Amino acid sequence: MTSADTCTKGRNTLIFCGIDWAEKHHDVALVDDTGHLLAKRRISDDAAGYRILLDLLAEYGDTEHDPIPVAIETSRGLLVAVLRQGQRQVFAINPMAAARYRDRHGVSRKKSDPGDALVLANILRTDMPMHRPLPQDSDLARAIAVLARAQQDATWNRQQIANQLRSLLREFYPASLDAFAGWQNGLCRPEARELLRLAPTPSRAARLSAAQLRSALKRAGRQRGIEAEAQRLRDVLRGDYAHQPPPVEDALGKQMLALLGQLEAACTAADDLAKAVQEAFPEHPDAEVILSFPGLGIQLGARILAEIGDDRDRFADARGLKAYAGSAPITRASGKKHHVGRRMVKNDRLNHAGYLWAFSAITASPGAKAHYGRRREKGDWHAQAQRHLFNRMIGQLYHCIRTGEQFDEHVAFPSLLAEAA
């Protein structure tokens, strides 16, 4: 049964709703299956406006078991949350796609909010099967998606600020970069931030005693090798480096402290969100299956779940999920030209998580390592071989989630493991 067929139950006429979203108000348009405008209304972005919208839909036959489908240009916000209650299909139409549909109705390229609402309603009337409704994910899956995406954004923000800080330190404080070069996560480590706060300029760093360095390392939470590390830092910070003029050096030190404050906040946000993900993700029923795959931990597994959701009807088969993730190749053929390349239109967050997953799986799974090696032998570049591995692994994940089975190395890579043996 198609989406259009679903809308016919309980009503003699198919009705479609389009909503042009704005910050303060929303324009609503209702059309029938012939394109006739049945109603239009402007509602406010508050609880009163949402009640007016629901009353308007109910006036034209909207019921709990036979809801009117809605097209809107966003997938977030309180209005979308209200519309998604029950069995209603909500279609998030890309604004660029809506702009192309707008050209159907006029060549003057005029634009108005009520007109855009009418365009959105007509998109469902004419091309509903070509658009995908928002998935019916569980509340827990949507909560995990919020936390996982926020943690990913915080991680990217932390790295961006760390890169800015590193660039600044190269201008006047290279000794600090040499001192932290051997530490994992470098400037994002608590020890590095504590030392920079203690000595924001190279002149002050050169005057630090071994006792001050030991105290700074202890305050940052270090417990082992403090004496040797303090001596190493003291030697590096007192090394022979060029210096900026004293006034310039002091000014750069103040700029560095301002960036350091931003980095502290970004590190705290990333750590707090990581703890929240660690608490929420294991509670999901699919977590056990996802964590059974090599290369997937709690944070990366939560990012995978956040993007694919737990709506079993979202993807018709594994090929749909692979295309959504951007791992499946795409063919472009025109006349005598035939090109098979990587997919550019994809879920960027899922594709990024897949890159990290495949990279980790190469060392965590003998079958994945053998698959990667065979692709390299066939002439694939590193990124191509890794993307091919991700394509295979996410197909296996789709099967395991659908069946409730956990990952089995010998089932996933039977021929490769036999060859390796």
Side-chain angles (χ1 to χ4, degrees), residues 99-107 122-123 125-127:
R100 302 300 182 270
Y101 278 100
R102 192 184 302 124
D103 294 338
R104 287 184 177 183
H105 303 277
V107 296
N122 280 313
I123 289 176
R125 180 178 66 87
T126 59
D127 293 328

Side-chain angles (χ1 to χ4, degrees), residues 290 292-297 300 353-373 382 385-394 396 407 409 412-413 416-417:
I290 293 175
S292 68
F293 277 74
L296 286 183
L300 197 54
Y355 177 86
L356 300 177
W357 178 14
F359 186 82
S360 302
I362 293 173
T363 57
S365 167
K369 182 178 181 181
H371 180 88
Y372 170 82
H382 167 72
Q386 199 163 297
R387 185 166 57 249
H388 198 280
L389 174 61
F390 171 47
N391 190 58
R392 179 161 180 170
M393 297 288 283
I394 199 168
Q396 296 169 353
F407 178 82
E409 186 83 21
F413 302 100
L416 294 176
L417 290 175

Side-chain angles (χ1 to χ4, degrees), residues 31-248:
V31 300
D32 59 16
D33 53 359
T34 65
H36 176 67
L37 178 62
L38 300 177
K40 63 179 182 179
R41 190 75 55 84
R42 172 167 287 188
I43 63 172
S44 56
D45 185 36
D46 53 23
Y50 303 156
R51 284 193 292 268
I52 293 174
L53 172 60
L54 295 178
D55 292 342
L56 179 64
L57 294 175
E59 181 181 346
Y60 285 88
D62 181 83
T63 63
E64 180 180 357
H65 301 289
D66 185 19
I68 295 175
V70 176
I72 190 170
E73 289 182 329
T74 182
S75 60
R76 301 177 181 178
L78 290 174
L79 175 59
V80 176
V82 170
L83 291 171
R84 293 186 68 179
Q85 296 178 1
Q87 303 177 8
R88 186 188 314 281
Q89 289 184 313
V90 179
F91 295 80
I93 307 298
N94 189 295
M96 294 182 64
R100 302 300 182 270
Y101 278 100
R102 192 184 302 124
D103 294 338
R104 287 184 177 183
H105 303 277
V107 296
S108 63
R109 296 190 176 181
K110 65 178 181 180
K111 184 184 185 304
S112 67
D113 293 343
D116 287 348
L118 181 60
V119 167
L120 291 169
N122 280 313
I123 289 176
L124 294 187
R125 180 178 66 87
T126 59
D127 293 328
M128 179 185 285
M130 303 300 295
H131 296 274
R132 180 181 298 172
L134 293 177
Q136 297 295 325
D137 293 329
S138 65
D139 292 342
L140 178 57
R142 293 166 62 187
I144 293 172
V146 171
L147 294 174
R149 290 169 182 167
Q151 199 279 332
Q152 188 176 33
D153 290 338
T155 302
W156 288 342
N157 184 46
R158 179 182 64 186
Q159 187 60 48
Q160 183 180 20
I161 297 174
N163 290 341
Q164 294 177 9
L165 180 59
R166 184 179 185 276
S167 178
L168 178 62
L169 292 174
R170 286 181 58 85
E171 295 184 18
F172 80 108
Y173 202 168
S176 62
L177 298 179
D178 293 341
F180 310 147
W183 289 351
Q184 186 179 8
N185 295 330
L187 295 173
C188 295
R189 289 182 65 92
E191 298 98 315
R193 304 199 301 270
E194 182 63 31
L195 289 172
L196 287 176
R197 191 184 305 106
L198 180 65
T201 63
S203 299
R204 293 178 60 177
R207 295 194 295 268
L208 291 176
S209 65
Q212 289 176 313
L213 291 171
R214 288 195 297 269
S215 299
L217 292 174
K218 290 178 181 179
R219 286 197 302 271
R222 194 180 185 93
Q223 297 180 352
R224 298 181 180 180
I226 295 178
E227 185 67 35
E229 191 64 22
Q231 187 60 43
R232 184 190 70 83
L233 291 171
R234 184 169 179 269
D235 295 339
V236 172
L237 295 176
R238 294 189 177 188
D240 185 16
Y241 293 94
H243 288 264
Q244 295 274 7
V248 177

Side-chain angles (χ1 to χ4, degrees), residues 322-334:
K322 292 177 180 180
Y324 180 70
S327 60
I330 188 170
T331 303
R332 296 178 176 87
S334 177

Side-chain angles (χ1 to χ4, degrees), residues 9-22:
K9 295 183 294 182
R11 287 193 299 269
N12 296 327
T13 304
L14 293 174
I15 299 176
F16 309 93
C17 177
I19 301 177
D20 183 75
W21 180 91

